[in-house]
Amino acid sequence: MIPYARRAAALCLLLLVALLVNALRIQVVRAPAYDANPANRRVPIERYGQPRGDILVGSRPVTGSRSTGAQLDWVRTYADGPLYAPVTGFSSQTYGTALLEAAEDDILSGSSPGLSALPLWNAVSRQPQRPGHVRTTIDPAVQKAAYKALGGKKGAVAALDPATGRILALVSTPSYDPGTIAGTGPQALGAWRRLVTAEDQPMLNRALRQTYPPGSTFKTVTAVAALVSGVVTDVDRPTDSPDPYPLPGSTTALGNESASAGCEDAPLRYAYVVSCNTVFGKLGDDVGLRAMRETAEAFGFNDPSIGVPSHPAVSVFDRRMDRAQLALSSIGQYDTRATPLQMAMVAAAVANDGTLMYPHLVDRTTDGAGLPLEVTGQRAYRQVMDAAVAFAMQDMMVAVVRHGTGRNAALPGALVGGKTGTAQHGEDNRGNPFAWFISWAKQSRGAPAEVAVAVVVEDAAADRADISGGGKAAPVARAVMRAVLAH
C-alpha cells in the first residue's frame, strides 16, 4: 500500500508543479501578449479606471478627466483644447494617443515603474499606481499671442528660448478640440470622421509634423556655410555673382524677384537684406555640396533622432544633388524642406552666438503628489558656428528688420533680427507661395536673446501678389516676440 501512496503523492506533486509552471507562463511569460490582445478588456478597463495625470502649462493643468460611470469610466478633457492641441495631442479611448499624450503616456497613465517606490511588487500584484503629471516649457502668454496673431490664417508658429532650448510656443492653425474625440460613443466617432476628412486638416500639427520649402529663410544657412567655409571673408566685399545666374550644367538662368534690386556682384550683407537669389545660388555652388550639407545638418537637418519628446518630421537637405540642384537648394527651393521648429532652431543658433541648444517641450515630470521624477536639463545640440560668424549674421539679420523686407517685425526699444522668405511650390511654381519669417529678439545689444521664432503662413485665399514673408508672417512673429519681452 505504501508504494501506491508514494506514487500518488509524487503524481500530485508533479501536477502541482505543472500548475505552478503554467500559472507562471500565463502570468509572467505570456502576460505582454495577453495585455496586447485586442480582445482583452481588462487592460482598457484598468487604464480608464482612474483619472489620467495632467499636462501643465505654467502652473495650470490644461487637461483633466471626467467620470462617465461606464465600464471605461474616466474620459480625458481639455481646457482651451484648440489652443494647446499642437502641444498635448489627444488621448482617446477609441483612437489612442498622439504627441505629448503619447510620448509621456507611461507617466500620465500611471504605468511607469518610476511612479512607485516598489515597482517590482506593483508589477506582480498589478495594483494601479497613481498617475503622474507632465509640466511643459510652454509660456501661456506667448502661446496665446501666437494663436491670436495667426487668427484665421492657415499656418504655424514655433518659438524657442535660444539660451536653453525651451519651447515657448507651438501653434498650428486651423486647430481642433481633442476633447471631442476622447470618448467611445457616436459623438466621438462623428467628430473623428469630420476631422480626418476636413480639407484644411485641423489635426495636422504644422509646427512639428509638416515640412515646407523654406524659401529665402534658408539663405541664413547658406550665409553661415559661406562664412564658415571661408568662401566669404568680408560681408561687405562684392561677390562674383552675375544677374541672372546661369545654373551650372543647365540651360536655365536663376533670376531675382526685382530686376532693380542691384544684385549683380552684390556683397553678402546687401544680398541678404534684399534677398538676392543669384548671389545665394552661386554661393551654394561655390561652397559645395559637402560643406552645405554639413552646415545644414549642424542646424538639425536630416536628423531623425530629434525628439522634444514627440518626434517632429525630419527636415531635409538632399545629400546627393548636381550643381544646379544645389544652387536651387541653397535658396530654399528644389527638395529642401523644413518644419517651423527647424527654422526656429536656425534663428536660435544665430541668436545664441553660434551654439544651438537641444529643443525640448517638457520641463519636468512629477509623481501624483507633485514630487519631481525627472527634470529636463539643458544641453547643446551643436556648435554650429563660432561667435565671430554669429555676430556677423546677427548684424545682417538686424539690417533686414531695420532696412529690408522685415520692417513689420520691428519692436520699439528692442533689438530684432529677422529674415523673410517666400517659398514657391506646386506644379511650375503656380501654387500660392508659403510666407515665412524667422527672427529673434533681445532687449538690447549685448544682452542675451530671449526668443527665436519661426512663422509660416499658408494663405490659399489670398492674392498671390499679397503673399510675402514680410507682409504675412513678420507681424505674427512681432506679436510673439512682444509677448516674450513683455515679461
Side-chain angles (χ1 to χ4, degrees), residues 48-51 64-70 72-77 93:
Y48 299 110
Q50 63 178 341
S65 299
R66 63 179 175 85
S67 176
T68 63
L72 304 181
D73 189 5
W74 292 91
V75 174
R76 193 60 146 167
T77 61
Q93 294 175 336

Side-chain angles (χ1 to χ4, degrees), residues 113-124:
L115 291 167
S116 173
L118 300 169
L120 185 59
W121 170 251
N122 279 80
V124 173

Side-chain angles (χ1 to χ4, degrees), residues 7-18:
R7 290 171 190 168
L11 180 61
C12 290
L13 179 62
L14 180 62
L15 290 173
L16 178 61
V17 170

Side-chain angles (χ1 to χ4, degrees), residues 13 20 62 133 228 231 253 286 296 319 354 395:
L13 179 62
L20 291 174
V62 296
H133 308 298
V228 169
V231 170
D286 291 343
R319 291 171 172 165
D395 285 343

Side-chain angles (χ1 to χ4, degrees), residues 214-366:
S216 292
T217 59
F218 191 81
K219 291 171 183 173
T220 307
V221 177
T222 304
V224 170
L227 290 167
V228 169
S229 66
V231 170
V232 174
T233 56
D234 184 346
V235 297
D236 295 309
R237 180 181 297 171
T239 57
D240 181 15
S241 307
D243 182 8
Y245 169 56
L247 293 173
S250 169
T251 58
T252 303
L254 181 63
N256 295 295
E257 289 295 318
S258 173
S260 61
C263 290
E264 184 174 357
D265 298 331
L268 180 61
R269 185 196 303 274
Y270 177 85
Y272 190 81
V273 171
V274 303
S275 207
C276 295
N277 291 335
T278 51
V279 173
F280 283 92
K282 185 174 186 300
L283 278 177
D285 181 48
D286 291 343
V287 170
L289 176 58
R290 180 176 178 178
M292 279 295 302
R293 187 196 72 233
E294 288 175 350
T295 301
E297 291 179 351
F299 280 109
F301 282 80
N302 299 335
D303 187 353
S305 69
I306 294 176
V308 296
S310 305
H311 284 278
V314 177
S315 298
V316 176
F317 186 82
D318 278 357
R319 291 171 172 165
R320 294 183 180 180
M321 291 182 279
D322 62 30
R323 293 176 62 192
Q325 293 165 344
L326 175 59
L328 292 174
S329 295
S330 299
I331 62 170
Q333 295 291 163
Y334 186 56
D335 286 340
T336 302
R337 297 188 67 88
T339 62
L341 176 64
Q342 173 62 76
M343 295 314 297
M345 291 167 64
V346 170
V350 173
N352 197 38
D353 300 340
T355 302
L356 176 60
M357 303 301 290
Y358 206 101
H360 59 279
L361 182 58
V362 174
D363 177 64
R364 67 186 62 197
T365 56
T366 68

Side-chain angles (χ1 to χ4, degrees), residues 12-76:
C12 290
L13 179 62
L14 180 62
L15 290 173
L16 178 61
V17 170
L19 285 172
L20 291 174
V21 169
N22 190 51
L24 181 67
R25 182 184 69 87
I26 292 174
Q27 295 184 21
V28 178
V29 178
R30 296 287 297 165
Y34 291 135
D35 284 345
N37 192 317
N40 182 4
R41 296 286 293 167
R42 294 177 62 87
V43 174
I45 290 171
E46 179 182 331
R47 178 183 179 88
Y48 299 110
Q50 63 178 341
R52 190 169 169 85
D54 283 322
I55 297 173
L56 289 82
V57 172
S59 58
R60 184 176 76 93
V62 296
T63 59
S65 299
R66 63 179 175 85
S67 176
T68 63
Q71 191 177 53
L72 304 181
D73 189 5
W74 292 91
V75 174
R76 193 60 146 167

